[in-house]
Amino acid sequence: MKLYLQVQELLSLARDYTHELSAGVVEVQEGLRLSREITSGLRMQDKRLELLSELFQSELPRYSDVATIDAFLFDALRDLFSLHPSNPTFVPLFGCLFRMLSGEAIDRLHADCSNQVLVAHVSCRAREDRARASIHSFPSDLDGTRHLIVVGDPSHAHGGFSVRYDGERIELPCRDSYEGHCEKCLHFYALLSSVSMPRLVYKLDDDVHLDDSDLFLTHIEDLLSRSIPYAGHVVSGWPHHRQMWHGWHLGKCLDKTFEAIGCQVPVASAFADGGFGYALAPQALEELSYAFFAHRASLEVPSIMYEDTTVGLFLQLAGIVPECIDYGATGLTSERHLMQLDLHCRWREYVDYEKRLILSLESHSLWDAFSSHG
């Protein structure tokens, strides 16, 4: 009951604040004879937040557990935020709800990760052994770094503010499948930004290993000294959506409907390769947190969303472009790193071959059929 009353009070205060904000802004807007559309989002946010607060008190029993409160609020508040994202009360509201509904897990996460260099090994339950092997490739006394395994909890795949953390592994209320990887990463970045901001997050897949600790530390120190917000091996230089690898997810998804479609979402003009690993400073984490909370519906479209391209797109929209890091300059290695070496040597050869093959097929009877129906 104590938790229920705390959340109820928080919602009531947020409602009152938003009502005062809305009334003041609308008064100015009308005095300046500006279009009502300028404040329509804020006015609707005010109205819907009041309704949500009333429904919380009328529909939820006072002894509701964490899961019930979480399910009631998580999507509803993200949608309300999207109506007028410049309302400054929502970001700290999300942080408070993470703390209230996760309890000691957030206290521990804050103590462990705030203002640290965090190496995040993003994995899934079925591959946690790989993530631990990745961690073990790093010296235990590597200065100034902390490691964390990030997985999802498919039993709470609807999302939420309630997370589990044991000092080594954080479990988020989201899908734990390949098609949920993007959502998992963004949820994690939003959590860190809300309650435990690190100096730097280095996101790694669970198959990345450290090959040279001195080189890695030099790389980290360079990023910190230059205050680089977003860095990795940058993918750029061609018409992205047309020529990107649309089959990267095939054979990996739990939902087999994704076997029949490619990536059908926008792609950034430049992004840091997720399999290579990339670094995010607080400025980038704040923008990704904003994107996670404000773009709920677009993140839930039934399409495959590659995590690295989506992160790059949201950061590009915020005016943040990736700093390019050479694939041999980090001290890290994986199959993806080896593939990058091969691409560096052979990619142009492959592109040229594909162009020649397409030209050789210009005499195919299909083109005659097109002409006859043109």
Coordinates of all heavy atoms in Angstrom, one line a residue, residues 76-124:
A76 N 1.4 4.2 -20.9 CA 0.6 5.4 -20.8 C 1.4 6.6 -20.6 O 1.1 7.7 -21.3 CB -0.4 5.2 -19.7
L77 N 2.4 6.6 -19.8 CA 3.2 7.8 -19.5 C 4.1 8.1 -20.7 O 4.3 9.3 -21.0 CB 4.0 7.6 -18.3 CG 3.2 7.7 -16.9 CD1 4.1 7.3 -15.8 CD2 2.7 9.1 -16.8
R78 N 4.6 7.1 -21.4 CA 5.4 7.4 -22.6 C 4.6 8.1 -23.7 O 5.0 9.0 -24.3 CB 6.0 6.1 -23.1 CG 7.1 5.5 -22.2 CD 7.4 4.1 -22.7 NE 8.3 4.1 -23.9 CZ 8.5 3.0 -24.6 NH1 8.0 1.8 -24.2 NH2 9.3 3.0 -25.7
D79 N 3.3 7.6 -23.8 CA 2.4 8.3 -24.8 C 2.1 9.7 -24.4 O 2.1 10.6 -25.2 CB 1.2 7.4 -25.0 CG 1.4 6.2 -25.7 OD1 2.4 6.0 -26.4 OD2 0.5 5.3 -25.7
L80 N 1.9 9.9 -23.1 CA 1.6 11.3 -22.6 C 2.8 12.2 -22.9 O 2.7 13.3 -23.3 CB 1.3 11.2 -21.1 CG -0.1 10.7 -20.8 CD1 -0.3 10.7 -19.3 CD2 -1.2 11.6 -21.4
F81 N 4.0 11.7 -22.6 CA 5.3 12.4 -22.8 C 5.4 12.8 -24.3 O 5.7 14.0 -24.6 CB 6.4 11.5 -22.4 CG 7.8 12.2 -22.7 CD1 8.1 13.4 -22.1 CD2 8.8 11.5 -23.4 CE1 9.4 14.0 -22.3 CE2 10.0 12.0 -23.6 CZ 10.3 13.3 -23.1
S82 N 5.0 12.0 -25.2 CA 5.1 12.3 -26.6 C 4.2 13.4 -27.1 O 4.5 14.0 -28.1 CB 4.8 11.0 -27.5 OG 3.4 10.7 -27.4
L83 N 3.2 13.7 -26.3 CA 2.3 14.8 -26.7 C 2.9 16.2 -26.6 O 2.6 17.1 -27.3 CB 1.0 14.8 -25.8 CG 0.0 13.7 -26.2 CD1 -1.0 13.5 -25.1 CD2 -0.7 14.0 -27.5
H84 N 3.8 16.3 -25.6 CA 4.5 17.6 -25.4 C 5.8 17.3 -24.7 O 6.0 17.5 -23.5 CB 3.6 18.6 -24.6 CG 4.2 20.0 -24.5 ND1 4.1 20.8 -25.6 CD2 4.8 20.7 -23.5 CE1 4.7 22.0 -25.3 NE2 5.1 21.9 -24.0
P85 N 6.8 16.8 -25.4 CA 8.1 16.4 -24.8 C 8.9 17.4 -24.0 O 9.8 17.1 -23.3 CB 8.9 15.8 -25.9 CG 7.9 15.5 -27.0 CD 6.8 16.5 -26.8
S86 N 8.6 18.7 -24.3 CA 9.3 19.8 -23.7 C 8.8 20.1 -22.2 O 9.4 20.9 -21.5 CB 9.3 21.1 -24.5 OG 8.0 21.5 -24.7
N87 N 7.8 19.4 -21.8 CA 7.3 19.4 -20.4 C 8.5 18.9 -19.5 O 8.7 17.7 -19.6 CB 6.0 18.7 -20.2 CG 5.5 18.7 -18.8 OD1 6.2 19.1 -17.9 ND2 4.2 18.4 -18.6
P88 N 9.1 19.7 -18.7 CA 10.3 19.2 -18.0 C 10.0 18.2 -16.9 O 11.0 17.7 -16.2 CB 10.9 20.5 -17.5 CG 9.8 21.4 -17.3 CD 8.9 21.1 -18.4
T89 N 8.8 18.0 -16.5 CA 8.5 17.1 -15.4 C 8.6 15.6 -15.7 O 8.8 14.8 -14.8 CB 7.1 17.4 -14.9 OG1 6.9 16.8 -13.6 CG2 6.0 16.8 -15.8
F90 N 8.5 15.2 -17.0 CA 8.4 13.8 -17.3 C 9.7 13.1 -17.2 O 9.8 11.9 -16.7 CB 7.9 13.6 -18.8 CG 6.4 13.6 -18.8 CD1 5.7 14.8 -18.9 CD2 5.7 12.4 -18.8 CE1 4.3 14.8 -18.9 CE2 4.3 12.4 -18.8 CZ 3.6 13.6 -18.9
V91 N 10.9 13.6 -17.6 CA 12.1 12.9 -17.4 C 12.4 12.6 -16.0 O 12.7 11.4 -15.7 CB 13.3 13.7 -18.1 CG1 14.6 13.1 -17.8 CG2 13.1 13.8 -19.6
P92 N 12.4 13.5 -15.0 CA 12.6 13.1 -13.6 C 11.5 12.2 -13.1 O 11.7 11.4 -12.2 CB 12.6 14.5 -12.9 CG 12.0 15.5 -13.8 CD 12.3 15.0 -15.2
L93 N 10.3 12.3 -13.7 CA 9.2 11.4 -13.3 C 9.6 10.0 -13.6 O 9.4 9.0 -12.8 CB 7.9 11.8 -14.0 CG 6.7 10.8 -13.8 CD1 6.3 10.8 -12.3 CD2 5.5 11.3 -14.6
F94 N 10.1 9.8 -14.8 CA 10.5 8.4 -15.2 C 11.6 7.9 -14.3 O 11.6 6.7 -13.9 CB 11.0 8.4 -16.7 CG 10.0 8.7 -17.7 CD1 10.3 9.5 -18.8 CD2 8.7 8.3 -17.5 CE1 9.4 9.8 -19.7 CE2 7.7 8.6 -18.5 CZ 8.1 9.4 -19.6
G95 N 12.6 8.8 -13.9 CA 13.6 8.4 -13.0 C 13.1 8.0 -11.6 O 13.5 6.9 -11.1
C96 N 12.1 8.7 -11.1 CA 11.5 8.4 -9.8 C 10.8 7.0 -9.9 O 10.9 6.2 -8.9 CB 10.5 9.5 -9.4 SG 11.3 10.9 -8.8
L97 N 10.1 6.8 -11.0 CA 9.4 5.5 -11.1 C 10.3 4.3 -11.3 O 10.1 3.2 -10.7 CB 8.4 5.5 -12.3 CG 7.2 6.5 -12.1 CD1 6.4 6.7 -13.4 CD2 6.3 5.9 -11.0
F98 N 11.5 4.5 -11.9 CA 12.5 3.4 -11.9 C 12.9 3.1 -10.5 O 13.0 2.0 -10.1 CB 13.7 3.9 -12.7 CG 13.7 3.6 -14.2 CD1 13.8 4.6 -15.1 CD2 13.4 2.3 -14.7 CE1 13.8 4.3 -16.5 CE2 13.4 2.0 -16.0 CZ 13.6 3.0 -16.9
R99 N 13.1 4.2 -9.7 CA 13.6 4.0 -8.3 C 12.5 3.3 -7.5 O 12.7 2.4 -6.7 CB 14.0 5.3 -7.7 CG 15.3 5.9 -8.3 CD 15.7 7.2 -7.6 NE 16.8 7.8 -8.3 CZ 16.7 8.7 -9.2 NH1 15.5 9.1 -9.6 NH2 17.8 9.2 -9.8
M100 N 11.3 3.8 -7.6 CA 10.2 3.3 -6.8 C 9.9 1.8 -7.1 O 9.7 1.0 -6.2 CB 8.9 4.1 -7.0 CG 8.9 5.5 -6.4 SD 7.4 6.4 -6.7 CE 7.6 7.9 -5.8
L101 N 9.9 1.5 -8.4 CA 9.4 0.2 -8.8 C 10.5 -0.9 -8.8 O 10.3 -2.1 -8.9 CB 8.7 0.2 -10.1 CG 7.4 1.1 -10.1 CD1 6.7 1.1 -11.5 CD2 6.4 0.7 -9.0
S102 N 11.8 -0.4 -8.8 CA 12.9 -1.3 -8.8 C 13.6 -1.4 -7.4 O 14.4 -2.4 -7.2 CB 13.9 -0.9 -9.8 OG 13.4 -0.9 -11.1
G103 N 13.3 -0.5 -6.6 CA 13.9 -0.5 -5.2 C 15.4 -0.6 -5.1 O 16.1 0.2 -5.7
E104 N 15.9 -1.6 -4.3 CA 17.3 -1.7 -4.0 C 18.1 -1.9 -5.3 O 19.3 -1.6 -5.3 CB 17.5 -2.8 -3.0 CG 17.0 -2.5 -1.6 CD 17.2 -3.6 -0.6 OE1 17.9 -4.6 -1.1 OE2 16.8 -3.5 0.5
A105 N 17.6 -2.5 -6.3 CA 18.3 -2.7 -7.5 C 18.8 -1.4 -8.1 O 20.0 -1.4 -8.6 CB 17.4 -3.4 -8.6
I106 N 18.0 -0.4 -8.0 CA 18.5 0.9 -8.6 C 19.5 1.6 -7.6 O 20.5 2.2 -8.1 CB 17.3 1.9 -8.7 CG1 16.3 1.3 -9.8 CG2 17.7 3.3 -9.1 CD1 16.9 1.1 -11.2
D107 N 19.4 1.4 -6.3 CA 20.4 1.9 -5.4 C 21.7 1.3 -5.7 O 22.8 2.0 -5.7 CB 20.0 1.6 -4.0 CG 18.7 2.4 -3.6 OD1 18.4 3.4 -4.2 OD2 18.0 1.9 -2.6
R108 N 21.7 0.0 -5.9 CA 23.0 -0.7 -6.2 C 23.5 -0.3 -7.6 O 24.8 -0.1 -7.7 CB 22.7 -2.2 -6.1 CG 24.0 -3.0 -6.2 CD 23.7 -4.5 -5.9 NE 25.0 -5.3 -5.9 CZ 25.1 -6.5 -5.6 NH1 24.0 -7.2 -5.4 NH2 26.2 -7.2 -5.6
L109 N 22.7 -0.2 -8.6 CA 23.1 0.2 -9.9 C 23.8 1.6 -9.8 O 24.8 1.8 -10.5 CB 21.9 0.2 -10.9 CG 22.3 0.5 -12.3 CD1 23.1 -0.6 -13.0 CD2 21.0 0.7 -13.1
H110 N 23.1 2.5 -9.1 CA 23.6 3.8 -9.0 C 25.0 3.8 -8.3 O 25.9 4.5 -8.8 CB 22.7 4.7 -8.2 CG 23.1 6.1 -8.0 ND1 23.0 7.1 -9.0 CD2 23.7 6.7 -6.9 CE1 23.5 8.2 -8.5 NE2 23.9 8.0 -7.3
A111 N 25.2 3.1 -7.3 CA 26.4 3.0 -6.5 C 27.5 2.4 -7.4 O 28.7 2.8 -7.4 CB 26.3 2.2 -5.3
D112 N 27.2 1.4 -8.2 CA 28.2 0.7 -9.1 C 28.6 1.4 -10.3 O 29.7 1.3 -10.7 CB 27.6 -0.7 -9.5 CG 27.6 -1.7 -8.3 OD1 28.1 -1.4 -7.2 OD2 26.9 -2.7 -8.5
C113 N 27.6 2.1 -10.9 CA 27.9 2.6 -12.3 C 27.9 4.1 -12.5 O 28.4 4.6 -13.5 CB 26.8 2.0 -13.2 SG 26.7 0.2 -13.2
S114 N 27.4 4.9 -11.6 CA 27.4 6.3 -11.8 C 28.8 6.8 -11.9 O 29.7 6.5 -11.1 CB 26.7 7.0 -10.6 OG 25.4 6.8 -10.6
N115 N 29.1 7.7 -12.9 CA 30.3 8.3 -13.2 C 31.5 7.3 -13.4 O 32.6 7.6 -13.2 CB 30.7 9.2 -12.1 CG 31.7 10.3 -12.5 OD1 31.6 10.8 -13.7 ND2 32.6 10.7 -11.7
Q116 N 31.1 6.1 -13.9 CA 32.1 5.1 -14.2 C 32.2 4.9 -15.7 O 31.3 5.3 -16.5 CB 31.7 3.7 -13.6 CG 31.6 3.8 -12.1 CD 32.9 4.0 -11.4 OE1 33.9 3.3 -11.6 NE2 33.0 4.9 -10.4
V117 N 33.3 4.2 -16.2 CA 33.4 3.7 -17.5 C 32.8 2.3 -17.5 O 33.3 1.4 -16.9 CB 34.8 3.7 -18.0 CG1 34.9 3.0 -19.4 CG2 35.4 5.1 -18.1
L118 N 31.6 2.2 -18.1 CA 30.8 1.0 -18.1 C 31.0 0.2 -19.4 O 30.6 0.7 -20.5 CB 29.4 1.3 -17.8 CG 28.4 0.2 -17.7 CD1 28.7 -0.7 -16.5 CD2 27.0 0.7 -17.5
V119 N 31.4 -1.0 -19.3 CA 31.5 -1.9 -20.5 C 30.2 -2.8 -20.4 O 30.1 -3.7 -19.5 CB 32.7 -2.8 -20.5 CG1 32.8 -3.6 -21.8 CG2 34.0 -1.9 -20.5
A120 N 29.3 -2.6 -21.3 CA 28.0 -3.3 -21.3 C 28.0 -4.4 -22.3 O 28.1 -4.2 -23.5 CB 26.9 -2.3 -21.6
H121 N 27.9 -5.6 -21.8 CA 27.9 -6.8 -22.7 C 26.4 -7.2 -22.9 O 25.8 -7.9 -22.1 CB 28.7 -8.0 -22.1 CG 30.1 -7.6 -21.7 ND1 31.2 -7.9 -22.4 CD2 30.6 -6.9 -20.6 CE1 32.3 -7.5 -21.9 NE2 31.9 -6.8 -20.8
V122 N 25.9 -6.7 -24.0 CA 24.4 -6.9 -24.3 C 24.2 -8.3 -24.9 O 24.8 -8.6 -25.9 CB 23.9 -5.8 -25.2 CG1 22.4 -6.0 -25.4 CG2 24.1 -4.4 -24.6
S123 N 23.4 -9.1 -24.2 CA 23.3 -10.5 -24.6 C 21.8 -10.9 -24.4 O 20.9 -10.1 -24.5 CB 24.2 -11.4 -23.7 OG 24.2 -12.7 -24.1
C124 N 21.6 -12.2 -24.2 CA 20.3 -12.8 -23.9 C 20.5 -14.0 -23.0 O 21.6 -14.5 -22.8 CB 19.5 -13.2 -25.2 SG 20.4 -14.5 -26.1

